Amino acid sequence: MNFVKQATEVKKFISQNSITMQKETSMKLFENKKIRSEWNEEAEEWYFSVVDVIEILTDSVNPTDYLKKLRKRDILLGDYIGTNCPQVVMITETGKKRKLK
């Protein structure tokens, strides 16, 4: 699946599940890959881990580094993610809570 088509599928998945998910901390599956998510009660909206979405779209071995390099190469994207993608406390694979993008 090419990058644009896969990105469209992820966007569709997120928008569909944003309506139907219960208001709780949870892990979602997209093509058998995990996407961490967190419900913000105040804003009444879901937050999804950008790193998890990057991993799905790119099949990167290290999606965190991939995102860092992407932000360095594209200044506008780096500014947008820094401004519009707040770090949210989510449960990691080890079960610990950490701030994630």
Side-chain angles (χ1 to χ4, degrees), residues 27-84:
M27 186 97 49
K28 306 299 166 217
L29 289 177
F30 178 81
E31 295 183 1
N32 295 322
K33 295 183 180 179
K34 295 177 184 175
I35 300 176
R36 289 169 286 193
S37 60
E38 182 75 28
W39 174 254
N40 181 324
E41 193 69 44
E42 229 175 80
E44 294 188 352
E45 60 188 9
W46 281 98
Y47 293 113
F48 295 90
S49 170
V50 173
V51 173
D52 293 348
V53 173
I54 292 288
E55 182 178 13
I56 290 169
L57 294 176
T58 63
D59 290 324
S60 174
V61 176
N62 191 336
T64 303
D65 284 348
Y66 188 99
L67 181 59
K68 284 180 187 177
K69 289 176 185 175
L70 191 63
R71 290 177 67 187
K72 283 182 182 178
R73 291 180 185 153
D74 187 331
I75 302 299
L76 289 175
L77 177 66
D79 289 345
Y80 179 83
I81 289 176
T83 306
N84 297 307

Side-chain angles (χ1 to χ4, degrees), residues 2-4 6 8 10 17 19 21 28 48 55 63 67-68 76 79 82 84-85 88 90 93 99:
N2 71 31
F3 183 82
V4 174
Q6 198 162 7
T8 303
V10 170
N17 284 287
I19 296 166
M21 289 188 286
K28 306 299 166 217
F48 295 90
E55 182 178 13
L67 181 59
K68 284 180 187 177
L76 289 175
D79 289 345
N84 297 307
C85 295
V88 178
M90 293 185 183
E93 301 235 345
K99 280 192 172 187

